[in-house]
């Protein structure tokens, strides 16, 4: 397996992570280092274990074995809410806003429950996130009335309202038109320029490749290759697993 050489102290580290559901093993001894401020992409065919890995990193469920740490703190066995307060936020493939609330109210809830901010601080945080994500004009609209692009923006905004140091983006580009996708990529690039650490699962490769500086390819619950994005995508094993072909 091709692997990248990591020279800085990681903000997030996973070692020997396994996840099984009964006899079905979904993750097999996964090792990952995420560096502060980097944008790491994760690709792979359906069923490769990518979203399960995100759930393990975010604390959505306990791992079967292995260890996960964040800024040197052992996260093994900690809840998603505790990890959120430490600075790990995630989005979901299908946006999950509170549909009966306005955009602003959604962000207030995220800031108060995710970051444990008081009302005044949460209001300031929500206003800042509205500006950063281009949702200021939609602040008083019900989330249920938003189009898909703004729902995706709101999904990112809710994660940002928790004040993360690391954000996990799960298939955030799915279902968008090309122009909408460009707008979302611009938002993600702006967050990266602010120094936010990003780990992004995405099937839309041309969007992913505009942002990430390192790429991991997963297959059957294992890391198949990692390194510079174009090198990984040119790898024969990756092309067989992910694209169903290999270079001649």
């Amino acid at each position: 397996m091709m692997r990248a050489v990591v020279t800085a102290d990681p903000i997030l580290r996973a070692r020997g992570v396994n996840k099984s559901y009964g006899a079905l093993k979904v993750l097999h001894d996964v090792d990952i280092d995420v560096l502060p401020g980097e944008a790491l992409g994760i690709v792979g065919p359906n069923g490769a274990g990518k979203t399960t890995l995100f759930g393990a990193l975010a604390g959505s469920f306990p791992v079967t074995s292995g260890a996960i740490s964040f800024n040197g703190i052992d996260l093994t066995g900690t809840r998603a809410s505790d990890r959120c307060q430490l600075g790990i936020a995630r989005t979901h493939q299908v946006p999950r806003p509170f549909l009966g609330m306005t955009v602003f109210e959604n962000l207030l809830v995220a800031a108060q429950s995710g970051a444990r901010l008081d009302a005044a601080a949460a209001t300031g945080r929500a206003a800042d996130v509205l500006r950063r994500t281009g949702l200021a004009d939609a602040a008083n609209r019900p989330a249920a009335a938003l189009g898909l692009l703004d729902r995706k923006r709101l999904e990112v905004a809710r994660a940002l309202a928790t004040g993360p140091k690391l954000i996990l983006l799960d298939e955030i580009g799915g279902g968008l038109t090309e122009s909408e996708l460009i707008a979302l990529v611009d938002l993600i690039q702006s967050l990266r320029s602010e120094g936010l650490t990003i780990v992004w699962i995405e099937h839309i490769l041309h969007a992913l490749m505009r942002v990430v500086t390192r790429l991991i390819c997963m297959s059957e619950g294992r890391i198949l290759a990692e390194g510079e994005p174009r090198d990984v995508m040119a790898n024969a094993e990756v092309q067989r697993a992910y694209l169903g072909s290999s270079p001649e």
Side-chain angles (χ1 to χ4, degrees), residues 101-129:
M101 294 182 178
T102 66
V103 169
F104 190 72
E105 289 167 341
N106 266 272
L107 300 186
L108 282 178
V109 169
Q112 290 179 303
S113 64
R116 298 291 192 266
L117 298 181
D118 61 28
T123 298
R125 172 76 59 79
D128 177 62
V129 170

Side-chain angles (χ1 to χ4, degrees), residues 54 89-99 102-103 106-107 110 129-130 133 135 143 146-162 164 167-174 176 184 187-188 191 196:
F54 261 30
R90 71 162 296 178
T91 68
H92 295 85
Q93 293 182 32
V94 178
R96 300 181 180 183
F98 297 109
L99 295 175
T102 66
V103 169
N106 266 272
L107 300 186
V129 170
L130 285 171
T133 56
L135 285 170
L146 299 178
L148 182 58
L149 174 59
D150 280 344
R151 284 201 189 193
K152 299 273 190 178
R153 281 193 175 115
L154 179 55
E155 185 75 359
V156 174
R158 291 172 71 229
L160 291 175
T162 68
I167 188 168
L168 306 169
L169 302 175
D170 191 358
E171 301 283 2
I172 196 71
L176 297 176
L184 193 65
L187 169 59
I188 296 168
L191 298 178
L196 184 63

Side-chain angles (χ1 to χ4, degrees), residues 7-220:
T7 58
D9 291 335
I11 186 172
L12 181 73
R13 169 168 282 172
R15 285 292 178 270
V17 171
N18 292 279
K19 180 61 181 176
S20 298
Y21 296 97
L24 177 63
K25 194 166 185 179
V26 184
L27 297 177
H28 300 260
D29 294 317
V30 174
D31 293 345
I32 286 181
D33 288 322
V34 181
L35 306 182
E38 84 166 324
L40 171 66
I42 301 179
V43 298
N46 290 331
K50 304 183 300 296
T51 296
T52 300
L53 175 62
F54 261 30
L57 297 177
S60 302
F61 47 75
V63 299
T64 304
S65 62
I68 299 169
S69 63
F70 182 69
N71 275 332
I73 300 170
D74 183 11
L75 299 181
T76 310
T78 60
R79 300 173 300 174
S81 57
D82 295 327
R83 298 186 194 197
C84 183
Q85 289 184 54
L86 287 171
I88 299 175
R90 71 162 296 178
T91 68
H92 295 85
Q93 293 182 32
V94 178
R96 300 181 180 183
F98 297 109
L99 295 175
M101 294 182 178
T102 66
V103 169
F104 190 72
E105 289 167 341
N106 266 272
L107 300 186
L108 282 178
V109 169
Q112 290 179 303
S113 64
R116 298 291 192 266
L117 298 181
D118 61 28
T123 298
R125 172 76 59 79
D128 177 62
V129 170
L130 285 171
R131 175 189 57 77
R132 292 165 66 194
T133 56
L135 285 170
D137 290 343
N140 295 318
R141 295 181 63 192
L146 299 178
L148 182 58
L149 174 59
D150 280 344
R151 284 201 189 193
K152 299 273 190 178
R153 281 193 175 115
L154 179 55
E155 185 75 359
V156 174
R158 291 172 71 229
L160 291 175
T162 68
K165 300 177 180 69
L166 167 70
I167 188 168
L168 306 169
L169 302 175
D170 191 358
E171 301 283 2
I172 196 71
L176 297 176
T177 67
E178 186 63 24
S179 61
E180 290 171 336
L181 184 62
I182 290 170
L184 193 65
V185 167
D186 288 344
L187 169 59
I188 296 168
Q189 286 179 321
S190 72
L191 298 178
R192 183 180 167 224
S193 71
E194 294 173 7
L196 184 63
T197 305
I198 295 169
V199 183
W200 184 7
I201 293 173
E202 188 58 70
H203 278 298
I204 306 173
L205 286 175
H206 72 275
L208 191 69
M209 301 285 269
R210 284 185 56 190
V211 175
V212 301
T213 52
R214 187 161 60 94
L215 192 65
I216 286 174
C217 179
M218 295 185 67
S219 179
E220 298 179 342

